[in-house]
RNA sequence: GCCGGUGUGGCGGAAUUGGCAGACGCGCUGGACUCAAAAUCCAGUUCCUUCACGGGAGUAUCGGUUCGACUCCGAUCACCGGCACCA
């Protein structure tokens, strides 16, 4: 679950490295101050989740990272800072806050490293986690580490396995033969992303499609609910739309066709799915997927060779190649015919890979006059094109729009919607078809031929029985080995570990453990539940605690997880809801996708481009607070923005400016900070409290920080800084720059922790002015600005505007046609 | 090809519901401080025009709706992301 796998050395910028503490003045020393507060927070268990029943609960969650050997990337802290600011603000606002972090630590890189070096993946993973944790802590995030979790920990994956077993018991986990990418040279199955141009990424060996027994999860059983419940959640509309498209609901009909028979052949039939049953009279041939089960049975003797050759050709193509070459339609006639149930016409049956065995019924009725793909195919193979709708010109292209039906017997004269209804009724009445809803969504291929994943807790017995590992024997532990080798058979490396694989039951019956493991998506599909009750040994989490915290109030991560992770997690959550384990139908109430941080050349950061920035270097040179301020100030959270060393330095300059505003050269509070309020900062202070509170709540951190800058600019212009405003400001900036603010808070004389100091409030009376500036336009162009009393009468305002000397020049001797007056805002004079 | 998103100064970006375009920051220019520089503080900074007051143009391009458009509508162009023959 990680988008940042590449890294390289920090591009040092000596020009800006002026922030060492070698001067005479006591300037702000981020290294000392940040270390001090990180130590204090750890010692005080500052961020331990509170469970005060008198407070409301808030759950702020980050998508947990895959702890790669490369360490943290500057992209990680963007989302983490956003949730951290929210968590810190909510603590100050009096919430119990659950803000946890953990590790999605199963995955391919560790396995490959182990294969290459002979190291144990768990040891290597533990080192990576330690490094990630060190880096994350160096940025001052307020995680409750007592709730840290790790998907590779047996006490965690015990419950991942438990969920699998519940699904199995409900018939939602099943085995099927599915094609995989098989590399005989490597002796392993490779993932799609490891295949480049039909060859393995490592070694460049050929890859073959090979059907293997695989575990599947029946996510399709939840398709309709996954679609409907998108309406319950507060997610970006674009993400919802992507999920809707992925689920891909389409309404249509299934229609049964008989295969034309003679005296020598038995009666056979098959079913097609179509969204346009109204065009049945325009069907001129039928196409089956090459893998369709009927193909071999119906192919005539003289077409056998051609069909076999075509199927062979297809089997050598990967999915990608099949689609890449899609511009040009290919196919073969089977020699057989189908009977159109509407008019008993004989239609030739073809096979072609443009029909997918995995969608619908794997067979279609082709209506080339009204379907673009069928049209291309018919053109290529000279098949008849018969229009059944008025409109369009079928000599040029397929007409896929609406129109009046023709050549369609009882449908003639009807439009599309009516014709579809009438045809479905007719099909149902004759018993040759019915209304049908189809989804693009396919079942989830849940097994991987890998060592480094959760073992699937299943035993295959010699008598053919398949059983689950009993629940009281979970977790089924991944056996330790220093010798991970390909099995050579396509099975995972676990197949080599015969001590583990072979089992015997109490009756002496022999069995073999499942050697497939779960995909990385498994552990990440429910981890947010475990944070709620991470040490529970009886249940995956206590139901009442889940009721207290769910759904997650704020979930932030990269947009690349828009579909898969978020759909899988929703699916598991709904299943757990159905069996009474979780209290809500949806897991994540509010979702937000952070954007990408690009390199300073406006390109995606990557090792090969040499534009990767390492957060360790930034923390060392500028401090964690600076990095946090910069990443939040550089633009909207969801935008992709280029890294700028100058911008980073500017953020540090702002923090130094804040420091100097309150602290003198001897490291003491400035004497300008007083209990006297001369009123000069009343307005800007109250505006700042309001804007920052609203903006942080809406995740508009860039504009919130800009308002804090406005306050600082104003504060520099006055002589007296009222202490309550200074304290309020420190609290407002604390979520973004917690270390420096904690230090100033201490210098202000506070023993108590800033973390739980009450969030400031504003007084609305300071936000309203007695006078307002009203703009006066002539024909929509700004001409004059007037200072007038607030809520001045419309007529008076109009009179004052028209009396203005400068304005008269623009009216001249033209006629005033109309005057639009919006109180406290605008007067627009329309002249002719 | 389809779906989604984005186009605003030299740069990153602001702009409630259609009502002062350019907040804030970077960069740049000038001033103060300094022997000098850096740092800091103050001021200015969309473009054209004007000594100045002022005026004109301007939110990718073209058109529309409106008293009034960065904002709404239509078309076009560019860039970014996702999907891949889903019947």
């Amino acid at each position: 679950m990680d988008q940042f796998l590449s890294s390289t050395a920090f591009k040092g910028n000596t020009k800006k490295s002026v922030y060492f503490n070698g001067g005479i003045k006591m300037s702000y020393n981020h290294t000392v101050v940040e270390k001090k507060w990180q130590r204090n927070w750890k010692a005080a268990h500052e961020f331990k989740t509170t469970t005060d029943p008198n407070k409301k609960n808030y759950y702020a969650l980050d998508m947990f990272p895959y702890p790669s050997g490369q360490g943290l990337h500057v992209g990680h802290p963007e989302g983490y800072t956003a949730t951290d600011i929210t968590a810190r603000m909510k603590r100050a606002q009096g919430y119990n806050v659950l803000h946890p972090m953990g590790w999605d630590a199963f995955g391919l890189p560790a396995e490959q490293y182990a294969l290459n070096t002979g190291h144990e993946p768990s040891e290597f993973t533990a080192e990576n986690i330690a490094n990630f944790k060190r880096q994350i802590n160096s940025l001052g995030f307020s995680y409750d580490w007592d709730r840290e979790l790790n998907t590779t920990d047996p006490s965690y994956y015990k419950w991942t396995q438990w969920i699998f077993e519940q699904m199995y018991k409900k018939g939602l986990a099943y085995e099927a033969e599915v094609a995989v990418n098989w590399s005989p040279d490597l002796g392993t199955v490779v993932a799609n992303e490891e295949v480049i141009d039909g060859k393995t990424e490592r070694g460049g060996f050929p890859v073959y499609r090979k059907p293997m027994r695989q575990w599947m999860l029946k996510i399709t059983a939840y398709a309709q609910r996954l679609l409907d419940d998108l309406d319950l959640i507060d997610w970006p509309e674009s993400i919802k739309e992507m999920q809707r498209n992925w689920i891909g609901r389409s309404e249509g009909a299934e229609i049964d066709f008989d295969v034309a028979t003679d005296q020598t052949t038995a009666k056979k039939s098959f079913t097609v799915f179509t969204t346009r049953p109204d065009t049945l009279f325009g069907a001129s041939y039928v196409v089956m997927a090459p893998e369709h089960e009927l193909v071999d049975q119906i192919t005539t003797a003289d077409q056998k060779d051609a069909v076999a050759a075509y199927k062979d050709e297809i089997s050598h193509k990967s999915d990608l190649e099949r689609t890449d070459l899609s511009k040009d339609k290919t196919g073969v006639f089977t020699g057989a015919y189908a009977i159109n149930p509407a008019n008993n016409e004989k239609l030739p049956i073809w096979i072609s890979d443009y029909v997918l065995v995995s969608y619908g019924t794997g067979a279609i009725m082709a209506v080339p006059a009204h379907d673009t793909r069928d049209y291309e195919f018919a053109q290529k193979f000279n098949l008849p094109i018969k229009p059944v709708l008025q409109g369009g010109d079928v000599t040029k292209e397929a007409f896929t729009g609406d129109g009046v039906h023709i050549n369609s017997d009882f449908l003639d004269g009807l439009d599309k919607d009516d014709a579809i209804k009438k045809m479905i009724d007719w099909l149902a009445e004759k018993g040759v078809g019915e209304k049908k809803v189809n989804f693009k969504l396919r079942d989830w291929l849940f097994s991987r031929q890998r060592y480094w994943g959760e073992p699937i807790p299943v035993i295959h017995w010699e008598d053919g029985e398949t059983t689950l590992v009993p629940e009281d024997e979970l977790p089924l532990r991944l056996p330790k080995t220093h010798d991970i080798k390909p099995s050579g058979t396509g099975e995972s490396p676990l197949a080599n570990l015969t001590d583990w694989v072979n089992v015997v039951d109490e009756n002496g019956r022999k069995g073999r453990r499942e050697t497939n493991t779960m995909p990385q998506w498994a552990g990440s599909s429910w981890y947010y539940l475990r944070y709620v009750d991470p040490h529970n040994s009886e249940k995956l989490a206590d139901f009442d605690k889940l009721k207290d915290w769910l759904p997650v109030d704020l979930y932030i991560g990269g947009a690349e997880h828009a579909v898969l992770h978020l759909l899988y997690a929703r699916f598991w959550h709904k299943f757990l809801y159905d069996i009474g384990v979780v209290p809500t139908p949806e897991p994540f109430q509010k979702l937000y996708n952070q954007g990408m941080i690009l390199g300073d050349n406006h390109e995606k950061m990557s090792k090969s481009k040499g534009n990767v920035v390492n957060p360790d270097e930034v923390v060392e040179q500028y401090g964690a607070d600076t990095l946090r301020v910069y990443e939040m100030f550089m633009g909207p959270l969801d935008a992709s923005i280029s890294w700028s060393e100058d911008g980073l330095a500017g953020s540090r300059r702002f923090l130094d400016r804040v420091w100097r505003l309150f602290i003198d050269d001897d490291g003491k509070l400035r004497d300008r900070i007083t209990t006297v309020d001369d009123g000069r900062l009343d307005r800007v202070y109250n505006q700042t409290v309001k804007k920052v509170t609203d903006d942080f709540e809406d995740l508009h951190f860039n504009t919130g920080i800009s308002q804090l800058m406005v306050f600082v600019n104003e504060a520099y212009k006055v002589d007296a800084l009222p202490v309550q405003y200074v304290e309020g400001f420190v609290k407002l900036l604390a979520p973004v720059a917690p270390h420096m603010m904690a230090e100033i808070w201490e210098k202000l004389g506070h023993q108590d922790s800033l973390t739980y100091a009450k969030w400031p409030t504003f007084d609305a009376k300071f936000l309203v002015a007695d006078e307002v500036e009203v703009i006066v336009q002539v024909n929509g162009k700004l001409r004059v600005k007037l200072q007038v009393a607030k809520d001045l009468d419309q007529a008076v305002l109009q009179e004052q505007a028209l009396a203005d000397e400068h304005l008269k020049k623009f009216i001249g001797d033209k006629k005033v046609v109309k005057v639009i007056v919006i109180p406290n805002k605008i007067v627009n004079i329309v002249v002719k």
Side-chain angles (χ1 to χ4, degrees), chain A residues 218-244:
Chain A
K218 205 179 270 177
I219 190 172
T220 52
Y222 283 75
Q224 190 66 51
R225 284 168 63 192
L226 288 167
L227 190 64
D228 292 343
D229 288 357
L230 287 170
D231 294 337
L232 305 178
I233 48 185
D234 178 19
W235 289 19
E237 202 45 48
S238 61
I239 301 288
K240 288 190 188 181
E241 198 56 29
M242 281 166 80
Q243 292 218 342
R244 287 190 192 105

Side-chain angles (χ1 to χ4, degrees), chain A residues 546-558:
Chain A
L546 290 171
K547 240 159 95 181
D548 289 340
W549 291 105
L550 289 180
V552 172
D553 293 286
L554 176 65
Y555 191 32
I556 294 184

Side-chain angles (χ1 to χ4, degrees), chain A residues 244-297:
Chain A
R244 287 190 192 105
N245 292 339
W246 190 267
I247 295 166
R249 183 181 198 272
S250 62
E251 282 183 21
E254 282 190 350
I255 304 176
D256 300 327
F257 283 70
D258 288 334
V259 179
T261 54
D262 54 36
Q263 294 81 342
T264 62
T265 51
K267 187 179 178 223
K268 293 189 190 69
S269 61
F270 63 95
T271 305
V272 303
F273 173 72
T274 177
T275 54
R276 296 294 301 271
D278 58 311
T279 60
L280 181 54
F281 287 99
S284 54
Y285 60 101
V286 163
V287 189
M288 290 181 178
E291 301 90 343
H292 194 283
E293 53 176 9
L294 223 52
V295 171
D296 288 336
Q297 301 172 42

Side-chain angles (χ1 to χ4, degrees), chain A residues 423-600:
Chain A
M423 179 54 94
I424 288 173
D425 289 345
W426 184 88
L427 290 166
E429 193 184 308
K430 299 280 174 193
V432 291
E434 59 180 352
K435 186 169 176 172
K436 172 85 182 175
V437 173
N438 244 317
F439 295 94
K440 269 201 285 192
L441 183 69
R442 297 178 200 174
D443 279 341
W444 176 4
L445 178 63
F446 193 67
S447 46
R448 298 290 184 270
Q449 295 69 46
R450 302 286 173 191
Y451 166 80
W452 191 232
E454 299 88 345
I456 293 176
V458 164
I459 301 168
H460 303 279
W461 299 99
E462 58 186 346
D463 58 12
E465 199 194 359
T466 297
T467 63
L468 293 173
V469 171
E471 271 181 36
D472 58 13
E473 291 177 25
L474 295 180
L476 172 60
R477 284 167 189 271
L478 193 59
K480 290 206 170 207
T481 174
H482 281 278
D483 195 20
I484 297 172
K485 279 200 200 104
S487 64
T489 60
E491 285 185 282
S492 85
L494 285 170
N496 295 331
L497 307 175
T498 48
D499 287 353
W500 182 82
V501 167
N502 296 318
V503 291
V504 179
D505 71 7
E506 61 269 26
N507 302 321
R509 180 174 63 156
K510 287 180 185 161
R512 208 163 175 276
R513 290 191 191 280
E514 175 64 58
T515 57
N516 282 319
T517 54
M518 299 187 195
Q520 204 177 358
W521 305 114
S524 61
S525 289
W526 71 281
Y527 72 110
Y528 59 94
L529 300 173
R530 189 64 177 173
Y531 284 135
V532 169
D533 192 12
H535 308 297
N536 195 326
S537 55
E538 304 300 314
K539 295 171 174 180
L540 69 82
D542 179 76
F543 188 79
D544 289 326
K545 289 182 182 170
L546 290 171
K547 240 159 95 181
D548 289 340
W549 291 105
L550 289 180
V552 172
D553 293 286
L554 176 65
Y555 191 32
I556 294 184
E560 65 278 9
H561 298 298
V563 178
L564 294 179
H565 161 61
L566 290 170
L567 203 59
Y568 293 154
R570 292 181 63 220
F571 163 45
W572 278 36
H573 194 90
K574 287 189 181 306
F575 168 71
L576 293 171
Y577 178 67
D578 288 350
I579 62 170
V581 174
V582 301
T584 61
E586 283 289 331
F588 313 118
Q589 189 55 40
K590 178 167 180 175
L591 172 81
Y592 204 82
N593 294 116
Q594 92 242 12
M596 218 182 323
I597 294 183
L598 307 171
D600 54 9

Side-chain angles (χ1 to χ4, degrees), chain A residues 326-396:
Chain A
S326 67
K327 301 286 167 270
D328 193 24
K329 295 269 183 295
T330 61
V332 179
F333 178 44
T334 62
Y337 291 86
I339 305 295
N340 184 336
N343 55 13
N344 293 321
E345 236 175 69
K346 270 176 84 178
L347 306 175
I349 302 175
W350 286 65
I351 60 171
S352 172
D353 63 355
Y354 87 88
V355 174
L356 309 177
V357 74
S358 53
Y359 183 77
T361 60
I364 62 157
M365 63 177 210
V367 186
H370 305 294
D371 181 281
T372 311
R373 295 152 303 183
D374 297 343
Y375 187 86
E376 285 169 18
F377 192 83
Q379 290 265 305
K380 174 151 180 184
F381 294 104
N382 282 316
L383 292 158
I385 298 171
K386 179 182 161 193
V388 290
L389 286 167
Q390 270 176 12
D393 178 0
V394 297
T395 62
K396 292 201 182 72

